[in-house]
Amino acid sequence: MSDRSNTARVQRPSLSSSMRSSSYLQEHQQYRAPNKPEGHYGIDTVVEDMNATSIATLPSPIVPPKGVARFKGIPSPEHPPTIVESGLSHELSHPNCTPAPGTRSDKLVATLYYKSTAPRISNAIPSPQQASSPAGSQSPKGRAADSEIPGNMAPTSSLDTFPLEPPTAEPEPLDHLYGSYVSPMCITSFLHLMSSFPLPPGASDLNSAHRCLKLDQTPDHHPLVVELTLSPGPSLDYLPLADLRKHELIYRFEREWNVDVALRADSLFRRYPRLVVFDMDSTLITQEVIDLLAATIKDPPDLAARVADITHRAMLGELEFDSAFRERVKLLTGLPSTLFNDLRPVLEVTNGVRPLLRALKRLGVKTAVLSGGFLPLTSWLAGELGLDYAHANEVVIDDATGRLTGEVKGRIVGAERKRELLIEIAGKEGIPLDQVVAVGDGANDLLMMDAAGLGVAWNAKPRVQMEASARLNGDSLLDLLYLFGFNDEEISQLIQ
């Protein structure tokens, strides 16, 4: 957590917000209505060779004001020239162009995902009259309901356990006020937040540019995914990117506007991944395979619940994965090995996985699944989806009975092994780790996500979301492509 986590809450944004710079408004007002000022001078006046043309001989309507400098192609950061011609007003500022020779750019890319599938409710507290039960109704304890504390007014209905202080209120859902999408006010608020962090030495202004990557289906086509490029990003000496991602102000902004924010340094490799590695359970598929196996066993009747509890605690990081996996497999002793084949039709592939893999294949990206589950199902799924590599655990089967012995052959594909396999595959393919992406949901995916250039938490457990480089909480894994800078038009071409 950053040492600036106690910074006062940013006020509700307004268009007159006192940001460090007005770059957001400048970027969004580059193209103006065709209102030509009197005596304007056109594009020919700006770009022609001013040494060969006498300003005095120019026609009167297009004589530029005194003191105009000849434009050399590189605009002045302080006084960028403006071209006015044929109804076009364009300010020639180059905050996102290639840096001058001998310098480097320190740009930060923020991808904002609006979580339209998980809208938040308002924090408005109903009046006691609204919250009361109908007259005459009785509480479970036999008392009149109107003598109790309404259930939605406090975390308890007993005065003995009533908290001495009210719980911390959730941030107000500002998307309810300004639009259930990535609204201009949402972007303005984010830029205002980012302007509160120190810039690198020598930088005085925060420039920005935006691209809408995904639009909704309404007639107004509101943006659901927006990519913001900040130039420069906050000083890395003050706040490394890994810490900036975890900053309390970023988290609060996400809660206020109902968005996920993915922050990445704008590098060449950001746009060109060459290997994408996936976890299987709750990532490529929506289920946990070992829970599906346990659910088929009726004796003892509580087996499925016991296995599910171990799975849940292991994914949260409360249990060491290797020992937890062996314990669960032990509970499956006696199952017929044919059960793996029987489970194939039950597997539910996560929404967006198939088009995502088609897009990655067309881009020439290698893919792999590294699963803490079972090799028979993992290999079959990899073949069905067209993945290049598949690694998982191999259980021991009794040759005489054809049933599981409760043992696991070789090393468990846990956190350490997943990281090793990711590095091995990247080395075999000659791919730098900077161009590797790892996607998972559990604590046993954190090491491979850390080894990759980008680790993505997909609808993940809280600890994983906090530690990962980026987090996606949507209903389609195809959203991964927006992190690479693709927009909907380009994605449509890739998944055809």
Side-chain angles (χ1 to χ4, degrees), residues 53 104 106 263:
T53 304
R104 55 169 294 174
D106 293 307
L263 299 175

Side-chain angles (χ1 to χ4, degrees), residues 374-406:
F374 302 93
L375 188 59
L377 279 175
T378 303
S379 296
W380 173 81
L381 183 67
E384 287 291 302
L385 298 178
L387 285 91
D388 299 295
Y389 295 90
H391 293 274
N393 297 300
E394 189 173 356
V395 295
V396 178
I397 299 173
D398 188 290
D399 293 333
T401 63
R403 294 179 177 273
L404 277 65
T405 66

